[in-house]
Amino acid sequence: MSVQTAMEANLAMCHDCGLLVHLPHGDDHDDDHPDGACPRCGSHLHMRKPYSLQRTWALVIGAFILFLPANLLPIMKVTTLGRGEASTIMEGVMHLLHGGMWPLALVVFVASIFVPLMKMIAIVYLLVSVQRGSAWRPGERTRMYRLTEILGRWSMVDIYVVTILAALVHAGALAQVDAEPGAIFFGATVVVTMIAAESFDPRLIWDRCGVKHG
Amino acid sequence: MGSPVDHDSPSRLVACHECDLLARVPALPPGGVARCPRCNGILARAPAKSFERTAALGFAALTLLVVSNLFPFLTLDISGTLSDMTIIQGARTLWDGDYKLLAGLVFGTTVLAPLAHIVLLLWIVVPLWMNRIPWAGRKVLRWLDVIRPWSMAEVFMLGVLVSMVKLADLADIIPGIALWSFVALIPVLTASLVTLDNDLAWRRIAPEIPVP
């Protein structure tokens, strides 16, 4: 059987219901006007996600910008015995480390700093490699994309920790935890990187290297 | 290639979601998985007794989610002063502290998205299980895909663990019924995703559309 992509056969798979549909207009993948609607579920059809590279670039740059205040501003304030202390994500990690809870410090560091940063770097790398027409290890790059998609959500951990502590510890001057502005930027970073990963089309990785890898 | 055949035909043509390779998926045995020969992405799955199992798991998940939201999640004992929280109170605290966007994000990902996910899942699989066509099935199946990534029960659970350890030297922490129910909810939710045969659901909901 000859190896061929759906695009070469003028076929597009519907993103929502998975139906393979014949598109008479062929390759229109950078066009925001969709090639029509899926006959089964009614969603827009396109050969590739529209403006995938542009949208992903915009979102990943936005995520980088949001990531700065997310890390520089405090995300929560802990008040014990009348003394308040606001801490950033990294200060929270260091606090856990000094308290001897290094496995937990590692979890928070990985989820809140390492994963978002790696995710943004991975997306930028994928964008650059696609734009340069790289044919290098498409399988590994696809796996990297899949991993990026799966891991991104775990960054929400710190937001939940702030939420839980703030809801539980409200004994006034004795002990009180409040959310701080950094948490908003951090939440926004997580959401924007999730949308960035979603707007990238992994099929672009393979478009640039033919079908001989079958 | 590409000529439409009868939708009851077990073998069908698909394009890989990851790399767009065209491949013919053969008839899969119950529980079978077909992978892309080029990029190893999943092309098709055929979970056994899909609708029956998904419906059972969906009802279990709904029960656990209701319990998780009605009862206290954690109780804190600071030298005799007790304070407890439910999941919704968590979002409520942020809202009252004027972090409304953040409150929305937390409420959406821990309460609304899991609830919508379970309800829409049942909406689809219960009628299919009884050999009926679900009402507005096409829209609901599409929405299910949109909601799925925003349902973050398992991430919230990790947040709970981190919070418990952080609070350990400040006060005594008593896990509530909701916490245990939430712990049980996570594997049930994951299982309900694995047992759902999306392709079969689409073929049943829209039988008039030929599958290539």
Side-chain angles (χ1 to χ4, degrees), chain A residues 6 13 40 48 153 160 168, chain B residues 15 20 83 109 138 149 151 154:
Chain A
M13 187 145 90
R40 185 156 75 174
R48 295 291 178 262
R153 54 204 281 106
Y160 294 143
L168 263 182
Chain B
D20 206 36
S83 74
T109 51
R138 299 168 196 224
S151 165
E154 73 282 14

Side-chain angles (χ1 to χ4, degrees), chain B residues 25-35 42 44-51 53 194-197 200:
Chain B
V25 173
L28 292 174
V33 177
R35 283 182 174 275
I42 292 173
R45 290 188 306 118
K49 291 185 182 170
S50 170
F51 301 137
R53 288 185 183 170
V194 178
T195 56
L196 178 67
D197 189 338
L200 184 60

Side-chain angles (χ1 to χ4, degrees), chain A residues 1-9 11-21 39-44 47-48 76 80 92 96 101 104 107-108 111 139 142-143 145-146 149 153-171 174-175 177 179-181 183-184 187-188 190-191 194-195 198 201-204 206-207 209-214, chain B residues 1-2 13-24 35 37-43 73-76 78-79 81 83-87 89-91 93-94 97-102 105-106 109-110 138-139 141-142 145-146 148-170 173 198-199 202-203 206 208-212:
Chain A
M1 187 178 118
S2 69
V3 184
Q4 173 179 45
T5 66
M7 186 158 78
E8 286 160 351
L11 290 165
M13 187 145 90
C14 173
H15 279 296
D16 286 317
C17 77
L19 185 73
L20 205 54
V21 185
R40 185 156 75 174
C41 72
S43 64
H44 295 317
M47 281 292 176
R48 295 291 178 262
M76 67 173 170
T80 38
L96 285 172
M101 295 183 272
L104 201 66
V107 167
V108 175
T142 307
R143 212 166 301 147
Y145 172 71
R146 244 178 263 157
E149 240 187 339
R153 54 204 281 106
W154 290 94
S155 304
M156 281 292 285
V157 159
D158 244 13
I159 298 289
Y160 294 143
V161 171
V162 173
T163 307
I164 293 161
L165 294 183
L168 263 182
V169 188
H170 47 73
L174 189 64
V177 175
E180 290 284 311
I184 296 176
V190 178
V191 172
M194 276 178 75
I195 300 172
E198 172 58 33
D201 196 330
R203 291 169 297 189
L204 295 172
W206 297 85
D207 285 347
C209 41
V211 278
K212 52 188 176 290
H213 298 270
Chain B
M1 256 193 198
L13 198 63
V14 299
C16 174
H17 248 303
E18 310 278 356
C19 79
D20 206 36
L21 188 80
L22 266 188
R24 181 156 286 282
R35 283 182 174 275
R38 182 162 74 162
C39 76
N40 206 33
I42 292 173
L43 287 177
F73 210 87
L74 289 170
T75 304
L76 195 66
I78 307 177
S79 41
T81 315
S83 74
D84 58 16
M85 66 161 290
T86 60
I87 302 176
Q89 270 169 8
T93 309
L94 292 177
D98 249 4
Y99 287 93
K100 294 195 163 58
L101 223 58
L102 212 54
L105 184 63
V106 169
T109 51
T110 58
R138 299 168 196 224
K139 272 208 183 89
L141 255 181
R142 275 179 67 190
D145 247 20
V146 175
R148 201 171 296 173
W150 300 100
S151 165
M152 301 194 185
E154 73 282 14
V155 184
F156 184 73
M157 200 57 227
L158 181 62
V160 171
L161 292 180
V162 172
S163 307
M164 284 174 78
V165 179
K166 276 195 169 195
L167 289 170
D169 51 349
L170 179 73
I173 308 144
N198 220 27
D199 284 328
W202 273 113
R203 272 177 277 148
E208 76 282 5
I209 307 290
V211 173

